[in-house]
Amino acid sequence: MKTTFSIIKADVGGWPGHAKVHPSLEAIAQKALLESQREKLIIDFHVTHCGDDLELIMTHTNGVDSKEVHSLSWDTFCEATEKARDLGLYGAGQDLLSDAFSGNIKGMGPGIAEMEFTERKAEPVVAFMMDKTEPGAFNFPIFKIFADPFNTAGLIIDPSIHDGFVFEVWDIQEHKNVFLKTPEEMYDLLALIGAKSRFVVKRVYPKKSSKLPSSEPVSVISTEKLYQIAGEYVGKDDPAGLVRAQSGLPALGEVLEGFSLGHLVSGWMRGSHNGPLMPVSVKDAQCTRFDGPPRVTALGFQLKNGKLTEPVDLFDDPAFDLTRRKAQEVMDYMRRHGPFEPHRLPMADMEYTTLPKVMEKLGSRFKKVK
Ligand code: F6R
Ligand code: MG
Ligand code: MG
């Protein structure tokens, strides 16, 4: 049986500011998805949040880009937006950039990570959700998980993954994609995805030699960039991603190990600062200091015929205390730089903020230096 696993997410109002999702918005989503489950549109679901992003995790058999599932998500976000307006929450409807749903939620503001695959006998899936950062924040951990033997011991030890994986990379400026094989094309891959604001890992596939079907992704990341839709900075594109684990794939612990550095990502405060990505429990998924720091949560499920077990809140564990402590130190160090790069993003990445306006205002005052 082929199952579709979807995360569709949007910021439809913050509580307070851009800190967190109000529980009443999650309650609305819970009710809407339960109804759809009863009507058999979806098999199972889990509603959660990361910071100010409302996250709809759903399983079904409608395939990716299903009009019905996208429409359900859109309607749910619209209903939650109304509630956010009633409560006076901050930035109600922030990520809903269009008025009318036209069959696919892509390009309308929400982030989407979906994959369809044949369930194995036992299928562990981890849903990762990030706030105050951008899709390229996944490049580093996804590379570590699927291509770095210092992270994933299985790449050396387990014959079933020893051949490596295929990365689908998107150039989000040129709207092109390329497939690169690891380990043989690892340096080319890194040359691209190190430039994380432009090249993002979209999916990872098993190789033809794998016992898993090579046409079915084992990981997928949302890659929507809001400024490309809106033409200006309207909030960050806080991403979500899915990773399958075990038997022929990296082990669960190898998947989580990819997040053990607290690596630097962009998107903190006004989408304009670099800072460490701190792995946290759902309980701690609220953005505070300087609207951050950027956070990631991980919910682990076992999947059976589309049904989900209760999730395990995987970063709710002292094993990640040191990563969090390090992230806090780095956060403090970065903050001391104030408006200076590399805490503040470089010029090219500030293109959609006020910086071009400052340049325009000062334009005629710039004189040629003799
Ligand atoms: C970052 C983010 C926040 C806001 C900041 C200003 O992704 O969402 O840091 O950019 O709080 O928000 P506004 O412009 O809504 O006052
Ligand atoms: Mg917000
Ligand atoms: Mg957000």
Side-chain angles (χ1 to χ4, degrees):
M1 159 188 173
K2 274 203 189 189
T3 303
T4 315
F5 203 118
S6 306
I7 307 190
I8 304 191
K9 48 103 1 207
D11 175 351
V12 293
W15 173 56
H18 295 279
K20 193 180 173 175
V21 173
H22 192 278
S24 61
L25 306 192
E26 285 189 47
I28 281 176
Q30 182 76 27
K31 192 163 161 268
L33 298 197
L34 188 62
E35 242 162 66
S36 299
Q37 187 187 31
R38 287 199 186 115
E39 288 162 7
K40 306 223 178 316
L41 169 59
I42 55 175
I43 302 173
D44 213 346
F45 70 91
H46 182 77
V47 173
T48 185
H49 70 274
C50 184
D52 58 4
D53 293 290
L54 178 58
E55 314 269 351
L56 313 179
I57 299 171
M58 298 168 284
T59 55
H60 52 96
T61 51
N62 303 285
V64 301
D65 288 330
S66 149
K67 187 176 173 186
E68 289 75 22
V69 173
H70 283 207
S71 159
L72 162 67
S73 309
W74 182 257
D75 293 345
T76 304
F77 292 138
C78 289
E79 208 186 321
T81 296
E82 272 173 43
K83 183 72 181 174
R85 290 208 175 102
D86 286 351
L87 292 173
L89 299 181
Y90 191 72
Q94 180 186 287
D95 284 358
L96 307 188
L97 303 180
S98 177
D99 289 335
F101 180 74
S102 57
N104 193 307
I105 205 166
K106 268 189 204 159
M108 298 183 75
I112 307 125
E114 303 188 285
M115 57 181 176
E116 187 184 37
F117 54 88
T118 311
E119 279 185 25
R120 295 167 293 165
K121 228 177 22 220
E123 185 68 59
V125 183
V126 186
F128 290 100
M129 292 148 282
M130 297 181 182
D131 191 33
K132 306 298 182 263
T133 186
E134 58 169 8
F138 271 102
N139 286 6
F140 179 88
I142 297 295
F143 173 80
K144 298 287 281 183
I145 294 164
F146 289 101
D148 180 4
F150 283 76
N151 181 93
T152 298
L155 293 168
I156 306 290
I157 295 168
D158 180 355
S160 68
I161 59 172
H162 191 73
D163 281 357
F165 291 90
V166 180
F167 284 69
E168 179 184 347
V169 176
W170 281 17
D171 176 342
I172 47 182
Q173 260 170 38
E174 298 284 327
H175 303 282
K176 288 178 178 165
N177 68 352
V178 61
F179 291 82
L180 292 165
K181 291 184 180 140
T182 56
E184 54 272 45
E185 294 177 303
M186 181 190 281
Y187 297 161
D188 292 337
L189 174 68
L190 285 171
L192 297 184
I193 65 172
K196 61 186 172 36
S197 63
R198 173 158 175 186
F199 296 100
V200 296
V201 177
K202 179 65 192 175
R203 294 182 192 88
V204 179
Y205 292 93
K207 279 197 175 155
K208 288 220 162 60
S209 53
S210 165
K211 62 183 181 191
L212 279 82
S214 60
S215 59
E216 296 181 3
V218 292
S219 179
V220 64
I221 316 299
S222 69
T223 48
E224 286 64 33
K225 279 272 200 179
L226 293 186
Y227 73 76
Q228 291 188 330
I229 304 166
E232 60 176 352
Y233 176 70
V234 287
K236 219 45 192 183
D237 329 291
D238 310 317
L242 295 168
V243 181
R244 298 165 62 198
Q246 305 287 156
S247 44
L249 293 174
L252 178 72
E254 291 166 336
V255 171
L256 298 176
E257 183 68 9
F259 292 83
S260 59
L261 176 63
H263 64 289
L264 290 173
V265 299
S266 54
W268 191 6
M269 184 48 88
R270 298 176 187 279
S272 306
H273 293 81
N274 287 311
L277 183 72
M278 187 164 75
V280 292
S281 64
V282 174
K283 160 176 71 60
D284 291 329
Q286 54 178 32
C287 290
T288 55
R289 185 171 176 192
F290 202 53
D291 283 358
R295 284 163 207 237
V296 56
T297 57
L299 291 184
F301 301 89
Q302 284 292 141
L303 179 67
K304 181 81 183 176
N305 298 329
K307 290 294 283 179
L308 296 169
T309 57
E310 279 299 298
V312 176
D313 189 349
L314 292 162
F315 290 142
D316 186 12
D317 190 283
F320 283 91
D321 281 352
L322 198 60
T323 306
R324 289 190 272 265
R325 176 90 207 140
K326 183 70 121 316
Q328 287 156 21
E329 275 166 20
V330 171
M331 159 173 71
D332 201 61
Y333 172 79
M334 296 295 281
R335 276 306 303 129
R336 299 278 80 85
H337 292 77
F340 285 80
E341 298 175 11
H343 181 29
R344 202 202 65 186
L345 298 191
M347 287 289 274
D349 292 333
M350 300 287 287
E351 210 180 313
Y352 294 90
T353 67
T354 51
L355 218 63
K357 289 174 195 130
V358 173
M359 291 303 287
E360 202 180 291
K361 193 178 78 186
L362 297 179
S364 62
R365 290 170 56 189
F366 275 102
K367 303 289 178 225
K368 207 160 180 72
V369 180
K370 289 191 184 108

